């Protein structure tokens, strides 16, 4: 009955809560003015359970209409078991915005448990390799990726503002509903393929908001056909040009953890990433590269290998849990 998701044998679709907005609990301790943590600001989103993991944590989903992008879409969320431990009741947790490759619509494939992202985050945290990240898993595109049409996780003129959706509306949702960290030290991206590009670009474009990214098998330049006729806007979303600008501005520091298989379907992926690293690892831009022996261009390759370097690399420079 659980397999067929028939209530009461399953809790799929049940309401899920990740805590109350600041001051929403009678007698709740007030945060100190100098606290590094940010209590949930509200308004509270309507989260429904999508999946329950073996440790009792939930992958939940909600649909929001972005106040800044105007785009309406789904976001899946997950918090590790530590988040619910009473000893962390006043602690803010780091957030990782996890972006898929491919269409990234109507689902974000990280929300499923088959790839083991959530259990891996818990395992790495227990082993002292990684932070106990909260995950935000939004849709990446506004529509299916039909006939080679995709949006590069960007605000392409005349198209839905997917860049604003990823870098403003999704973080706002997390701040409204979770105990997070006030500074950029608690905000990171991870993504594979197109999602790796979108995360890389977001960190380089908004280093004052985000500190680190794990980019697996990413493109390093925008290549959506929808940029045609919009060269200036395309340049403003090009990681190579953004890296040059950040170096010229001398900060703030960002940490880019790349991982690429040596058997990727696109044989240019590894040399392109290696060239990017050679050209732009200087000043405020810090990089690492894990080349995965036999690794292919898929999430099943990338998740286990995140634990072999990339997750430690970004976790060392990020904060949380912290009061």
């Amino acid at each position: 009955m659980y397999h067929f998701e028939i209530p009461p044998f399953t809790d799929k679709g049940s309401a899920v809560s990740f805590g109350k907005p600041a001051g929403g609990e009678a007698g709740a301790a007030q945060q100190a003015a100098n606290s590094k943590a940010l209590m949930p600001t509200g308004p509270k989103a309507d989260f429904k359970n999508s999946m329950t993991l073996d440790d009792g944590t939930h992958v939940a989903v909600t649909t929001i209409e972005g106040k800044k992008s105007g785009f309406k879409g789904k976001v899946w969320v997950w918090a590790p078991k530590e988040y619910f431990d009473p000893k962390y009741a006043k602690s803010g947790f780091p957030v990782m915005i996890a972006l898929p490759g491919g269409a990234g619509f109507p689902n974000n494939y990280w929300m499923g448990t088959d790839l083991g992202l959530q259990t891996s985050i818990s395992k790495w945290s227990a082993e002292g390799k990684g932070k106990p990240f909260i995950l935000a898993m939004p849709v990446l595109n506004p529509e299916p990726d039909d006939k080679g049409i995709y949006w590069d996780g960007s605000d392409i003129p005349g198209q839905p503002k997917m860049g604003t959706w990823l870098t403003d509306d999704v973080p706002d949702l997390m701040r409204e509903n979770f105990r997070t960290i006030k500074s950029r030290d608690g905000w990171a991206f991870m993504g594979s393929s197109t999602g790796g590009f979108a995360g890389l670009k977001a960190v380089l474009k908004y280093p004052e908001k985000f500190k680190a990214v794990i980019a697996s098998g990413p493109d390093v330049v925008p290549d959506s056909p929808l940029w045609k006729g919009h060269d200036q806007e395309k340049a403003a979303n090009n990681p190579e040009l953004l890296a040059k600008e950040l170096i010229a501005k001398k900060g703030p520091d960002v940490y880019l953890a790349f991982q690429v298989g040596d058997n990727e379907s696109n044989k240019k992926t590894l040399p392109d990433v290696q060239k990017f690293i050679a050209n732009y690892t200087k000043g405020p831009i810090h990089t690492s590269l894990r080349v995965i022996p036999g690794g292919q261009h898929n999430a099943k390759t990338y998740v286990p290998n995140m634990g072999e370097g990339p997750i430690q690399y970004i976790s060392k420079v990020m904060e949380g849990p912290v009061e």
Side-chain angles (χ1 to χ4, degrees):
M1 291 298 178
Y2 184 90
H3 175 75
F4 290 106
E5 298 175 348
I6 298 174
F9 302 98
T10 175
D11 55 1
K12 183 172 182 178
S14 300
V16 175
S17 175
F18 295 96
K20 297 182 179 181
E25 220 169 314
Q30 293 297 311
Q31 285 297 108
N34 61 350
S35 173
K36 293 183 177 181
L38 178 67
M39 294 295 105
T41 63
K44 196 172 182 180
D46 180 25
F47 288 114
K48 300 295 185 186
N49 189 36
S50 175
M51 196 171 299
T52 301
L53 278 64
D54 291 342
D55 66 358
T57 58
H58 301 287
V59 178
V61 63
T62 190
T63 299
I64 63 167
E65 184 167 353
K67 295 181 182 70
K68 295 172 183 170
S69 70
F71 173 71
K72 186 175 183 179
K74 288 185 176 181
V75 184
W76 289 262
V77 299
W78 173 82
K81 204 153 190 175
E82 294 95 323
Y83 184 84
F84 304 98
D85 188 326
K87 75 178 182 181
Y88 293 119
K90 293 193 289 183
S91 296
F93 279 67
V95 175
M96 179 180 285
I97 301 171
L99 304 180
F105 184 93
N107 294 324
N108 176 325
Y109 55 56
W110 298 119
M111 51 72 71
T113 56
D114 54 324
L115 296 171
L117 178 60
Q118 292 84 2
T119 52
S120 294
I121 293 288
S122 293
K123 174 175 174 285
W124 296 328
S125 176
E127 293 172 348
K129 290 182 176 179
K131 300 289 187 186
F133 290 99
I134 300 169
L135 293 177
M137 300 164 277
V139 294
L140 180 62
N141 283 327
E143 297 175 26
D145 180 4
D146 290 336
K147 300 176 183 175
I149 299 298
Y150 48 96
W151 287 260
D152 272 349
S154 303
D155 290 3
I156 300 175
Q159 302 295 330
K161 295 182 176 181
M162 302 314 294
T164 299
W165 162 257
L166 296 176
T167 59
D168 281 315
D169 293 328
V170 172
D172 282 349
L173 171 73
M174 304 309 287
R175 281 187 284 266
E176 288 164 0
N177 291 276
F178 292 86
R179 301 189 307 277
T180 58
I181 294 172
K182 290 177 182 176
S183 77
R184 72 190 195 103
D185 294 339
W187 294 87
F189 278 87
M190 67 81 71
S192 55
S193 193
T194 301
F197 164 83
L200 173 65
K201 187 255 296 184
V203 171
L204 289 168
K205 189 169 186 177
Y206 300 110
E208 73 284 358
K209 294 183 183 181
F210 309 105
K211 192 170 189 178
V213 61
I214 297 175
S216 303
D219 298 322
V220 293
V221 293
D223 61 358
S224 169
L226 296 170
W227 289 115
K228 187 175 181 181
H230 305 290
D231 291 346
Q232 186 175 346
E233 292 86 354
K234 182 178 180 180
N237 287 276
N238 185 330
E240 293 184 337
L241 300 179
L242 292 167
K244 285 182 182 177
E245 290 176 12
L246 186 56
I247 292 166
K249 288 192 293 186
K250 300 183 179 180
D253 290 70
V254 294
Y255 297 82
L256 317 176
F258 294 95
Q259 55 173 4
V260 185
D262 64 7
N263 192 29
E264 297 262 347
S265 50
N266 182 349
K267 301 307 177 187
K268 287 187 63 188
T269 301
L270 181 54
D272 283 352
V273 168
Q274 290 171 324
K275 184 179 177 183
F276 182 96
I277 289 171
N279 288 341
Y280 304 113
T281 304
K282 60 186 75 171
I285 298 181
H286 309 269
T287 63
S288 73
L289 171 63
R290 174 168 173 74
V291 178
I292 304 167
Q296 299 181 331
H297 191 73
N298 59 59
K300 287 187 177 180
T301 289
Y302 299 139
V303 171
N305 283 280
M306 278 173 59
E308 299 302 319
I311 198 72
Q312 296 102 309
Y313 182 76
I314 70 164
S315 292
K316 285 177 183 175
V317 300
M318 297 193 70
E319 281 206 279
V322 65
E323 290 189 17

